[in-house]
Amino acid sequence: GTQPAESLANYSTVPMKHEHGIIVDDKLRTSVRDIFAAGDVAALKNPQTGRYEPRAQWYAAVSQGRIAGAMMVGHDELARQPFGVHWHATHLGELYMLTVGEPLSKDGNLTTLTDTSQGAYRRVTIMNDRLAGYLSLGTAQPDSLAIKRIIDEGHSIRDVVKPLLKGQLDARDYISRQRSHATRSMLTQKLPPLLRGRIKSGPL
């Protein structure tokens, strides 16, 4: 575990918001103008729970450092995308572990499914037909960032629950297909009725 160093917030002459770390927004700005926080000390808002909490992982620290640096030199265009849900991936020898979102949540509105086939353990939490959390433990590592994007972008998993639970879903390809369907739907809705039937089916 880690314990955020909140001494800067505690001794700041201007009150700086902190709760389990120094509270920042998606551009890593603290509550004090022109002061940024990144890495283990930065408490980001969890979009699923509303709580502010640090993300003490290497990948998160690197991406936050880049954004904080860009913000301090005036390149705020590099910080347009929100951080989304938290995730963590690691491995010990041939054992891989991945957790994304809230797979262990006790929220009564969530449906939890588990699978122990192929010598692995996988757990998914679902709200309606949207993925809320994913946990995988086994000898293979799923595409962690692609699964994170499925949650962040709110894609329906109604038709892919089984392959996701079995660790057989190509998450990156699935996102690509979902975006193609959304784009095609948007285009056909805007075209005049006589032209809608002329759009070819298949990937864009």
Side-chain angles (χ1 to χ4, degrees):
T2 60
Q3 183 68 35
E6 299 178 346
S7 54
L8 172 64
N10 290 326
Y11 293 108
S12 174
T13 55
V14 179
M16 182 180 293
K17 292 182 180 179
H18 60 98
E19 178 184 350
H20 309 300
I22 297 175
I23 292 178
V24 296
D25 61 14
D26 273 327
K27 294 188 177 182
L28 300 174
R29 295 174 294 200
T30 69
S31 59
V32 179
R33 181 180 175 85
D34 296 329
I35 294 182
F36 298 81
D40 294 0
V41 74
L44 288 159
K45 187 175 184 179
N46 183 327
Q48 294 179 302
T49 65
R51 295 192 300 266
Y52 283 86
E53 53 198 26
R55 302 187 181 187
Q57 291 103 30
W58 176 86
Y59 181 89
V62 170
S63 61
Q64 289 176 30
R66 288 173 176 166
I67 291 173
M71 288 294 298
M72 285 187 283
V73 295
H75 287 283
D76 61 340
E77 71 278 2
L78 299 178
R80 290 179 178 174
Q81 296 298 321
F83 285 98
V85 300
H86 62 275
W87 67 277
H88 180 62
T90 188
H91 70 93
L92 179 63
E94 296 182 356
L95 187 64
Y96 291 84
M97 189 275 285
L98 168 67
T99 177
V100 187
E102 299 291 334
L104 302 179
S105 174
K106 302 297 184 182
D107 189 328
N109 296 316
L110 294 174
T111 298
T112 300
L113 304 173
T114 61
D115 180 84
T116 57
S117 63
Q118 306 170 33
Y121 175 80
R122 282 170 294 275
R123 176 188 179 102
V124 300
T125 52
I126 304 169
M127 179 172 287
N128 299 323
D129 63 346
R130 300 293 192 269
L131 184 64
Y134 182 86
L135 185 149
S136 171
L137 186 66
T139 57
Q141 181 76 285
D143 189 329
S144 53
L145 289 179
I147 292 175
K148 177 180 175 346
R149 285 167 57 190
I150 289 176
I151 299 178
D152 286 341
E153 297 175 12
H155 295 295
S156 168
I157 60 166
R158 181 185 296 114
D159 300 327
V160 295
V161 171
K162 185 175 180 179
L164 181 63
L165 192 58
K166 294 289 183 180
Q168 299 168 346
L169 177 68
D170 185 335
R172 195 175 297 268
D173 176 69
Y174 181 69
I175 290 172
S176 178
R177 286 187 283 113
Q178 291 299 302
R179 288 178 173 174
S180 294
H181 294 327
T183 302
R184 188 181 304 112
S185 176
M186 180 181 66
L187 288 174
T188 55
Q189 288 174 5
K190 290 183 177 181
L191 289 173
L194 290 177
L195 295 179
R196 289 179 187 172
R198 299 182 186 179
I199 293 184
K200 297 180 180 179
S201 60
L204 294 177

